[in-house]
């Protein structure tokens, strides 16, 4: 059906029932008209890729200590609690492991792996959110994404500082975080992960 006819039905105030002959759907809601679709004439199927700008997000921070063997547990967690975004550290992944091997169905992963297969960070994001990677560090374990909301975009950052790293590494991390914040001064920035600073004296 032509887009102008779709738009006519979408904007109509009449209470009418109609069928899309291409996908056999009835009374398609107006939200569909703001989505992108791919029609396959060979099997009359319809593929939806509905991206959402949201008001509220449910974010979980996890230290995986190896995500490879925990895919089912993570999938159950995100489904049971309707998690939108996971900020994850210590993924223990390397370039030979593909995202679909460790990511729950319906989610996408943004990663920064360590070459030795230890450490590593990820941000696992519900695929219906409008998101993009803005930083994947080459010198530290840090990945950052931008997520569009109905207000300003928000920035999500996942960080890992190994416990055996010295002060210069912490300074490097701090500089990268400062740069992200300075580049996104109009946006809220959420930082999660594991800095291994359990013994720090915050008062001093």
């Amino acid at each position: 059906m032509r887009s102008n006819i779709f738009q006519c039905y979408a904007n109509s105030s009449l209470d009418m029932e109609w069928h899309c002959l291409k996908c056999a759907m009835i009374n398609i809601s107006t939200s569909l008209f703001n989505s992108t679709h791919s029609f396959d004439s060979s099997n009359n199927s319809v593929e939806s890729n509905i991206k959402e700008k949201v008001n509220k997000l449910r974010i979980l921070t996890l230290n995986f200590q190896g995500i490879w063997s925990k895919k089912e547990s993570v999938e159950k967690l995100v489904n049971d609690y309707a998690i939108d975004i996971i900020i994850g550290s210590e993924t223990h992944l390397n370039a030979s492991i593909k995202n679909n091997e460790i990511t729950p169905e319906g989610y996408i992963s943004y990663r920064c792996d360590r070459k030795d297969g230890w450490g590593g960070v990820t941000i696992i994001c519900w695929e219906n959110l409008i998101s993009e990677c803005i930083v994947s560090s080459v010198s530290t374990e840090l990945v950052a994404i931008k997520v569009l909301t109905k207000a300003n975009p928000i920035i999500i950052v996942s960080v890992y500082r190994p416990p055996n790293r010295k002060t210069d590494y912490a300074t490097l991390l701090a500089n990268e975080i400062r740069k992200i914040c300075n580049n996104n001064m109009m946006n809220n920035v959420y930082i999660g992960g594991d800095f291994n600073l359990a013994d720090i004296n915050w008062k001093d």
Side-chain angles (χ1 to χ4, degrees), residues 30-100:
T30 55
S31 64
L32 182 66
F33 302 98
N34 298 321
S35 311
T36 58
H37 299 271
S38 172
F39 294 102
D40 184 352
S41 58
S42 63
N43 59 11
N44 293 327
S45 66
V46 59
E47 236 178 84
S48 298
N49 184 19
I50 303 173
K51 300 292 186 179
E52 297 186 5
K53 292 184 179 181
V54 294
N55 282 323
K56 296 180 180 179
L57 288 172
R58 184 166 290 189
I59 301 174
L60 176 68
T61 301
L62 287 177
N63 184 312
F64 290 109
Q65 294 186 339
I67 193 176
W68 174 258
S69 61
K70 298 167 184 171
K71 180 181 176 181
E72 290 184 3
S73 298
V74 173
E75 194 159 302
K76 185 176 188 311
L77 190 64
V78 297
N79 289 331
D80 287 353
Y81 295 97
I83 303 299
D84 297 303
I85 296 172
I86 295 178
I87 299 173
S89 57
E90 283 205 81
T91 54
H92 296 182
L93 298 175
N94 58 56
S96 69
I97 300 172
K98 295 180 172 58
N99 279 345
N100 60 9

Side-chain angles (χ1 to χ4, degrees), residues 11-24:
N11 296 333
S12 174
S13 59
L14 299 176
D15 182 18
M16 46 184 187
E17 179 174 303
W18 55 279
H19 296 252
C20 173
L21 298 179
K22 194 72 175 177
C23 61

Side-chain angles (χ1 to χ4, degrees), residues 47-175:
E47 236 178 84
S48 298
N49 184 19
I50 303 173
K51 300 292 186 179
E52 297 186 5
K53 292 184 179 181
V54 294
N55 282 323
K56 296 180 180 179
L57 288 172
R58 184 166 290 189
I59 301 174
L60 176 68
T61 301
L62 287 177
N63 184 312
F64 290 109
Q65 294 186 339
I67 193 176
W68 174 258
S69 61
K70 298 167 184 171
K71 180 181 176 181
E72 290 184 3
S73 298
V74 173
E75 194 159 302
K76 185 176 188 311
L77 190 64
V78 297
N79 289 331
D80 287 353
Y81 295 97
I83 303 299
D84 297 303
I85 296 172
I86 295 178
I87 299 173
S89 57
E90 283 205 81
T91 54
H92 296 182
L93 298 175
N94 58 56
S96 69
I97 300 172
K98 295 180 172 58
N99 279 345
N100 60 9
E101 296 181 79
I102 52 92
T103 307
E105 185 177 352
Y107 289 76
I108 56 177
S109 292
Y110 301 96
R111 291 163 43 184
C112 180
D113 302 336
R114 208 159 84 195
K115 290 182 180 179
D116 62 6
W118 297 97
V121 292
T122 185
I123 299 175
I124 299 174
C125 187
W126 185 40
E127 66 180 3
N128 280 14
L129 297 176
I130 304 173
S131 64
E132 64 172 326
C133 183
I134 58 171
V135 177
S136 183
S137 177
V138 296
S139 53
T140 63
E141 294 174 62
L142 179 151
V143 64
I145 69 169
K146 178 186 290 185
V147 179
L148 297 191
T149 72
K150 291 185 178 178
N152 287 338
I154 63 170
I155 308 302
I156 310 290
V157 186
S158 181
V159 175
Y160 179 63
R161 175 191 168 272
N164 59 347
R165 293 299 179 99
K166 304 299 181 183
T167 305
D168 58 344
Y169 185 85
T171 301
L172 198 58
L173 267 179
N175 288 338

